[in-house]
Amino acid sequence: ETGVTQTPRHLVMGMTNKKSLKCEQHLGHNAMYWYKQSAKKPLELMFVYSLEERVENNSVPSRFSPECPNSSHLFLHLHTLQPEDSALYLCASSQGQTIQETQYFGPGTRLLVL
Amino acid sequence: AQTVTQSQPEMSVQEAETVTLSCTYDTSENNYYLFWYKQPPSRQMILVIRQEAYKQQNATENRFSVNFQKAAKSFSLKISDSQLGDTAMYFCAFMTGRSNFGNEKLTFGTGTRLTIIP
């Protein structure tokens, strides 16, 4: 495995379900990100983790709960989502804690909430 | 707050032609970084090119080059000798140059869908 991987690639869930998205980076990076990509809207940064510590939360609803157990893995736990949460969820990673490191993206999880 | 504007939602060109995608941004910062990302139908975002604002020389990567006009806050991407594999969504992105982590985040434009016609 190389780069940034995400599972599952596609997910359909009901509003009462609980599911988790997984991201894994094989680049030795120290920072990881969750983005939401909706149609015709700019990518929205949801969460940033640096060295497993959350450093940014852009006022994301509590029905999205991130978890970063180590610098290689990032999860997004989902519960009681709404149909408007249907989107492509992208994970990214970058090298360091400072400077403007390039972010490397995973292939995304296409989420549909019914 | 920084904003990034891509005014061309869709473009199409013939294979082997040159195409230029436009991007403008708004910021009060003097030190920042600009990126072009490509997102093919497979959905994975791939970095195409990166430009540091303090560098006057335009960045180039093989067939991809940028025209960075700092005063005009413009950052266009030129693709030369376009190929079918260049068909994708292209996103322009901006990041500030502050040193403390946590304040740096990519601000993306809405993207330009580029289609290369055989």
Side-chain angles (χ1 to χ4, degrees):
Chain A
E1 292 279 12
T2 58
V4 181
T5 58
Q6 289 185 243
T7 55
R9 294 293 306 275
H10 301 273
L11 179 63
V12 180
M13 59 187 291
M15 290 190 284
T16 58
N17 291 157
K18 289 185 179 181
K19 297 286 184 183
S20 295
L21 310 185
K22 179 183 176 182
C23 174
E24 184 172 1
Q25 59 96 0
H26 311 271
L27 301 169
H29 288 169
N30 293 317
M32 298 186 77
Y33 311 75
W34 278 118
Y35 286 89
K36 176 183 179 182
Q37 186 177 25
S38 304
K40 299 183 179 180
K41 292 175 67 177
L43 268 73
E44 302 169 56
L45 179 66
M46 300 176 72
F47 300 101
V48 179
Y49 276 83
S50 172
L51 297 174
E52 302 145 48
E53 179 180 337
R54 188 193 303 182
V55 295
E56 179 130 5
N57 173 356
N58 284 333
S59 302
V60 178
S62 59
R63 57 186 183 269
F64 294 92
S65 174
E67 178 189 1
C68 187
N70 55 62
S71 60
S72 298
H73 293 87
L74 184 65
F75 295 90
L76 187 63
H77 303 300
L78 316 171
H79 63 98
T80 60
L81 294 191
Q82 304 298 311
E84 60 264 30
D85 296 322
S86 298
L88 181 69
Y89 288 84
L90 291 166
C91 173
S93 70
S94 64
Q95 176 64 46
Q97 204 171 4
T98 59
I99 314 181
Q100 284 58 44
E101 304 292 345
T102 298
Q103 293 182 22
Y104 294 84
F105 286 81
T109 295
R110 170 66 66 186
L111 173 67
L112 177 61
V113 181
L114 301 177
Chain B
Q2 288 79 24
T3 59
V4 177
T5 302
Q6 293 179 251
S7 59
Q8 306 151 309
E10 295 187 22
M11 296 184 71
S12 60
V13 294
Q14 292 289 139
E15 190 177 5
E17 290 186 350
T18 295
V19 60
T20 299
L21 310 182
S22 66
C23 173
T24 58
Y25 56 93
D26 186 26
T27 183
S28 58
E29 304 280 340
N30 189 52
N31 183 25
Y32 51 87
Y33 296 74
L34 295 161
F35 305 82
W36 277 100
Y37 278 90
K38 167 185 177 181
Q39 189 179 37
S42 65
R43 296 290 185 181
Q44 186 147 11
M45 297 268 282
I46 304 164
L47 177 69
V48 175
I49 202 164
R50 164 192 166 118
Q51 173 82 43
E52 291 86 349
Y54 62 84
K55 289 187 177 179
Q56 292 185 337
Q57 187 173 7
N58 288 329
T60 62
E61 285 289 341
N62 301 315
R63 298 182 295 108
F64 298 87
S65 62
V66 299
N67 182 7
F68 174 46
Q69 302 289 328
K70 191 172 183 179
K73 297 180 182 176
S74 170
F75 182 61
S76 60
L77 174 70
K78 185 172 82 171
I79 306 174
S80 304
D81 186 26
S82 57
Q83 301 174 359
L84 297 180
D86 297 332
T87 292
M89 281 288 287
Y90 287 81
F91 293 93
C92 179
F94 170 100
M95 182 182 285
T96 63
R98 303 188 201 112
S99 61
N100 53 316
F101 195 91
N103 286 325
E104 303 131 6
K105 57 185 179 184
L106 281 176
T107 300
F108 286 85
T110 51
T112 296
R113 183 175 302 281
L114 175 66
T115 302
I116 308 301
I117 303 167

